[in-house]
Amino acid sequence: MRSDAPLSRRTLLAAPFVAGALAACDRFATAEPAPVAAPPLKSVAAFPIGSAVMAGQLDDPAWVALARREVNQLTPEWEMKMEYILQSPDRLTFDAPDRIAEACHASGARLHGHALIWYSQGEQVFSGFDRTHFPRAFDRYIAEVAGRYRGKVVSWDVVNEPIAEDGNGLRDSHWSRALGADGYMIRAFEQTKLADPEAVLFLNEYNLENNPTKGATFLRTVERLLKAGAPIGGLGTQSHLDIEIPAGQITTLIRELGGFGLPVHVSELDASLRREGVGDLRSRTQRLEQQRGRVIELAEAFMALPEHQRFAFTAWGLRDSDSWLRRGDRDDGQDQPLLFDDAGQPKPLTAALAGVFAGR
Ligand code: 9MR
């Protein structure tokens, strides 16, 4: 039995006080979800539906069956990043990303590469290079990785998360210090374009909907980089949604992103029900409603983009239990941030999303 499974009836009877308290307070209850009918998302959407994937999940028949049914694009959750590929300075490791690429090829799913240059990656290896060797190693990494997957990926997150956490300006990183604040990004896009001229090259960022200041800085950054000639081919909004944000904020952001005329990728959708450090007296049902409101707003705003700008709609995992938000010490096994429950069943949210994608 899994440690996060709901309390059994026997345990509850043995602890009447706890049982009474749980019954009185639905915010702690793990209600048995009623079965929900929803058509496979990929069958109703006129654009690709994506999920994050880890190579190990390809060995889980339940994950594979759900992925085959629901999605037609995959993004490696971490095994196409420097932390995996660049484990040592003199040897690149490709077995897991190769396996994911082969699985995509075999099943006909598109592969979205994630991520070439990210502030949180590569610092240790790159700190070993002097001013002459740093730019060469930067170019070589991109050439080798993007070159290897040329014709296998449809797109890349070339630069991930360049905006400062609070949204004011650009993030300081080992890349910006060595190659300039805009310089490292322009260079990354140019080098990726050389290595894989057909791939759609994305600038990808998070909290754009949650933090309008960050959204505005992202838009200004895109404008500046395009003016400088960076071959940006698409804009990625991760959409790790804060379900508390005011209605309308997501719509505004997506419309503004669309203003560039480039494809837009909802690249890492999830919507946590947790509210860290804040007393929250609302019931789980109320929070699920709020989650549904924000996710559906995102889907409707995405559908309002011109068809050629709807690149893909990707969730950051399939089942709730697959989510990065359900790992680690602070996990209580209760969060429901994704589109399928722990058993791989669709939820009311999934059915509502299918309705929006089908244009109903
Ligand atoms: O979900 C990913 C987790 O498994 C990795 O350990 C982590 C570091 O590689 O990255 C997580 O994914 C992040 C994504 O790459 C970029 N946006 C934020 C995602 C969640 O942290």
Side-chain angles (χ1 to χ4, degrees):
M1 186 180 162
R2 298 174 31 160
S3 57
D4 60 355
L7 290 174
S8 70
R9 183 152 179 79
R10 205 137 152 251
T11 323
L12 287 177
L13 289 175
F17 171 75
V18 178
L22 286 177
C25 188
D26 134 88
R27 98 192 140 99
F28 294 118
T30 353
E32 272 308 312
V36 172
L41 291 173
K42 73 172 187 188
S43 73
V44 288
F47 43 82
I49 298 291
S51 169
V53 60
M54 296 181 280
Q57 289 168 324
L58 301 172
D59 298 321
D60 170 358
W63 188 94
V64 171
L66 185 58
R68 287 232 167 108
R69 195 175 75 220
E70 299 289 339
V71 305
N72 43 12
Q73 179 174 302
L74 293 173
T75 305
E77 189 168 335
W78 68 280
E79 288 146 317
M80 247 189 195
K81 297 170 183 167
M82 282 183 182
E83 71 183 275
Y84 186 86
I85 293 179
L86 196 57
Q87 290 170 35
S88 93
D90 30 57
R91 196 175 62 87
L92 301 184
T93 306
F94 288 114
D95 50 350
D98 279 357
R99 205 179 154 211
I100 292 172
E102 275 154 29
C104 284
H105 181 70
S107 66
R110 298 202 318 189
L111 175 60
H112 174 70
H114 173 82
L116 288 169
I117 299 297
W118 187 14
Y119 77 89
S120 84
Q121 306 262 310
E123 186 158 13
Q124 210 182 347
V125 169
F126 274 79
S127 65
F129 297 121
D130 63 19
R131 287 165 64 101
T132 316
H133 290 96
F134 192 110
R136 286 190 206 155
F138 183 91
D139 294 353
R140 199 173 55 239
Y141 179 82
I142 292 177
E144 291 204 17
V145 177
R148 184 180 189 91
Y149 295 105
R150 180 175 177 177
K152 296 182 175 157
V153 300
V154 67
S155 46
W156 270 106
D157 287 329
V158 174
V159 175
N160 194 36
E161 304 176 1
I163 312 295
E165 185 65 28
D166 64 4
N168 290 306
L170 296 177
R171 208 183 266 280
D172 173 60
S173 68
H174 49 298
W175 310 122
S176 65
R177 287 193 291 277
L179 300 171
D182 283 354
Y184 86 90
M185 294 193 267
I186 296 168
R187 189 173 187 125
F189 277 96
E190 286 172 350
Q191 292 300 315
T192 312
K193 191 79 189 167
L194 287 174
D196 186 349
E198 292 88 34
V200 186
L201 307 186
F202 279 84
L203 189 67
N204 194 47
E205 187 54 271
Y206 73 103
N207 269 354
L208 300 179
E209 304 87 351
N210 300 338
N211 176 355
T213 306
K214 195 169 183 183
T217 303
F218 182 77
L219 296 167
R220 279 198 303 276
T221 304
V222 171
E223 200 174 359
R224 213 173 50 245
L225 295 179
L226 286 171
K227 250 190 211 145
I232 297 177
L235 305 177
T237 178
Q238 294 180 12
S239 304
H240 297 288
L241 293 182
D242 176 353
I243 64 171
E244 312 292 336
I245 59 175
Q249 205 159 291
I250 296 174
T251 310
T252 305
L253 186 268
I254 299 293
R255 197 183 295 135
E256 286 171 348
L257 285 181
F260 288 97
L262 296 171
V264 173
H265 186 194
V266 170
S267 57
E268 304 182 12
L269 169 67
D270 51 35
S272 177
L273 299 180
R274 275 209 299 249
R275 243 191 132 184
E276 307 276 352
V278 181
D280 188 352
L281 294 174
R282 288 166 310 165
S283 66
R284 175 163 290 262
T285 313
Q286 284 170 316
R287 281 180 290 152
L288 284 168
E289 284 271 298
Q290 197 152 350
Q291 178 195 56
R292 174 140 53 137
R294 298 289 69 76
V295 173
I296 294 305
E297 181 185 339
L298 177 68
E300 285 174 344
F302 186 77
M303 288 295 286
L305 292 169
E307 204 174 332
H308 68 277
Q309 285 185 258
R310 295 179 218 150
F311 182 74
F313 197 95
T314 297
W316 209 232
L318 291 172
R319 302 163 299 200
D320 290 327
S321 49
D322 295 322
S323 173
W324 67 293
L325 297 163
R326 287 275 299 270
R327 296 177 208 146
D329 296 345
R330 286 174 313 151
D331 174 41
D332 60 1
Q334 302 287 305
D335 205 358
Q336 301 175 341
L338 291 173
L339 304 179
F340 299 92
D341 69 15
D342 292 6
Q345 294 304 311
K347 310 170 178 189
L349 172 64
T350 329
L353 206 53
V356 175
F357 290 158
R360 283 198 294 273

